[in-house]
Amino acid sequence: MKLRRAHALVCYWRDGSFVVQNYLTGAHMSVAPVAADILAAFTDWSTEDDAVAAFPDHDPESCRAAVRQLHTYGFLVSAGEDGPDERLAEHWESWSPEAAVLHYASKDADYSESPSVNEDFRAGRRSALFKNYPDADRVLLPRAPLDVDAGYVRTLYARRTHRAFAPAALPLPSLAALLAMVFGPSEFLDGQDFGALMKRTSAAGGSRHELEAYVGVFAVEGITPGLYHYNCVEHSLELLDPGFTREQAAHLCWDQSAIAEAPVTVFVTAVVDRMSSKYRAPRAYRVMLLNAGHLGQTFALTATALGLGPFQTAAFRDTDVEAALGIDGIRETALYALATGLPTAPATPEPPAGLDAFRRATLYPDPAEDGVTPAR
């Protein structure tokens, strides 16, 4: 059997141990540093016998055992497999390893319980909310407001993340307007050498519009429930899975109540090649994430302006979401989950911060503490 070193490998020292990690699969193990030499011997397709011959000073059976263990953990891959490692090399080559490590090493995080909060933070030792330069000269800015559109200002300040939704079905015109204004083209521009470029209401670095919207419809007037893809050019919903349920969407998002109640959930994905085909440097991965953030904010503001409640989360089961959407997680990968519906007013409005709350907050850094204020 011929083997080759997996493309998705990183090696590092942690707590005095030498660690090999396959960031695509999540497999990692502490090994003897000589394992790096064995992996290096499998840059091209090779056999166990080739490895034994490459290390004449090592015990042959020990060398064979090491090769088999590295293969078991996915650090070596078999010839003839059209697996994710090959697709990763093809579609993430120009962004690897920098962007690929960040993306795949942070996939499928466990949100079964709320991420633990640093107990020192809870006890009061926390970074300051604001930064200031106490010794700098200052220019005090005018406070008189400009003649800004009042509707926009009200929308901006009315935006809240909603986690409870009314059981009523969402009016179809509201969903149609939300999808058009957030994900649809606002116009097409002459991009010269790049041809006609689509413009959205959100900033999109590179104007590649690599982000796609998959819409879980559960209670919308006139729309059969199921999972749809939003075709932004046609302004249409393309049915992909009529059996996709609200309960399934909630499970994919770690059973969050907001997803369980929302009549509409939107999964935002990225078609990687759209961005990487233009921008070969791995920093473009940051742009892709920023673009998703831009769309998320536009979604929240547009939903608010339409009288809807927006919700957004990064807590979802990446691999399971991608399987449900029918995408492979490499050429196209999940980035964001959004939801909306008719909001229910909270039983008790959130109280404004009073003196006690500000006493508990850390507003400015203590220069003597390197920006962190100790617990009181």
Side-chain angles (χ1 to χ4, degrees):
M1 179 174 58
K2 288 197 171 183
L3 302 171
R4 176 184 47 73
R5 185 178 63 251
H7 294 292
L9 295 187
V10 290
C11 301
Y12 50 87
W13 293 93
R14 173 172 287 173
D15 298 329
S17 297
F18 183 69
V19 179
V20 178
Q21 178 176 346
N22 185 320
Y23 55 80
L24 183 59
T25 65
H28 62 278
M29 66 180 298
S30 299
V31 297
V34 70
D37 295 329
I38 297 176
L39 289 169
F42 285 89
T43 299
D44 299 316
W45 294 110
S46 305
T47 65
E48 286 185 12
D49 290 337
D50 295 329
V52 170
F55 298 97
D57 296 333
H58 289 70
D59 175 63
E61 287 309 310
S62 175
C63 187
R64 292 178 190 277
V67 169
R68 291 167 189 165
Q69 186 178 33
L70 293 171
H71 181 222
T72 299
Y73 272 80
F75 305 145
L76 295 173
V77 296
S78 303
E81 296 178 358
D82 181 22
D85 189 74
E86 291 292 337
R87 296 198 299 274
L88 179 85
E90 178 183 357
H91 296 281
W92 286 75
E93 178 182 7
S94 64
W95 288 0
S96 293
E98 297 90 342
V101 172
L102 173 61
H103 183 79
Y104 288 99
S106 61
K107 282 187 65 171
D108 295 314
D110 186 356
Y111 288 93
S112 55
E113 296 181 1
S114 297
S116 59
V117 175
N118 185 318
E119 290 305 318
D120 285 344
F121 180 92
R122 194 187 300 278
R125 183 177 174 81
R126 60 190 69 138
S127 297
L129 290 174
F130 308 107
K131 181 178 181 180
N132 68 335
Y133 293 87
D135 299 329
D137 292 334
R138 281 162 165 68
V139 175
L140 300 181
L141 301 174
R143 294 179 181 270
L146 298 174
D147 186 18
V148 180
D149 179 78
Y152 169 75
V153 174
R154 284 194 296 271
T155 298
L156 193 64
Y157 283 93
R159 187 216 58 81
R160 294 288 186 278
T161 297
H162 288 261
R163 292 178 172 81
F165 299 97
L170 196 66
L172 177 57
S174 296
L175 176 61
L178 179 64
L179 294 176
M181 286 191 278
V182 177
F183 299 102
S186 58
E187 60 180 320
F188 289 87
L189 306 176
D190 185 349
Q192 304 301 319
D193 292 343
F194 298 109
L197 299 180
M198 186 176 83
K199 180 182 177 184
R200 277 174 170 160
T201 54
S202 297
S207 196
R208 298 301 300 139
H209 299 289
E210 69 284 354
L211 303 178
E212 294 285 333
Y214 293 81
V215 187
V217 174
F218 311 118
V220 176
E221 296 172 355
I223 300 291
T224 300
L227 176 67
Y228 294 80
H229 170 256
Y230 177 60
N231 184 321
C232 68
V233 176
E234 294 180 355
H235 187 46
S236 67
L237 289 174
E238 301 168 324
L239 180 61
L240 302 180
D241 182 1
F244 189 74
T245 65
R246 190 195 304 254
E247 292 74 20
Q248 186 177 355
H251 176 71
L252 292 174
C253 295
W254 292 95
D255 301 302
Q256 295 180 77
S257 60
I259 302 294
E261 293 184 11
V264 170
T265 295
V266 180
F267 293 101
V268 179
T269 70
V271 180
V272 175
D273 285 353
R274 284 190 207 159
M275 179 66 77
S276 63
S277 62
K278 181 178 181 181
Y279 296 111
R280 309 300 286 172
R283 189 176 179 85
Y285 177 68
R286 286 196 192 187
V287 178
M288 199 166 74
L289 299 184
L290 291 170
N291 288 346
H294 297 155
L295 274 182
Q297 178 70 335
T298 301
F299 179 92
L301 292 175
T302 304
T304 302
L306 292 170
L308 307 177
F311 175 77
Q312 50 283 319
T313 182
F316 54 84
R317 306 172 194 265
D318 299 61
T319 300
D320 293 342
V321 166
E322 289 158 355
L325 302 183
I327 61 178
D328 68 358
I330 293 177
R331 286 168 290 202
E332 184 175 355
T333 186
L335 290 186
Y336 211 173
L338 311 168
T340 191
L342 297 171
T344 58
T348 304
E350 297 174 354
L355 183 59
D356 287 342
F358 281 110
R359 282 173 175 162
R360 293 192 299 271
T362 303
L363 300 183
Y364 292 113
D366 183 345
E369 294 291 334
D370 193 26
V372 176
T373 298
R376 296 177 179 84

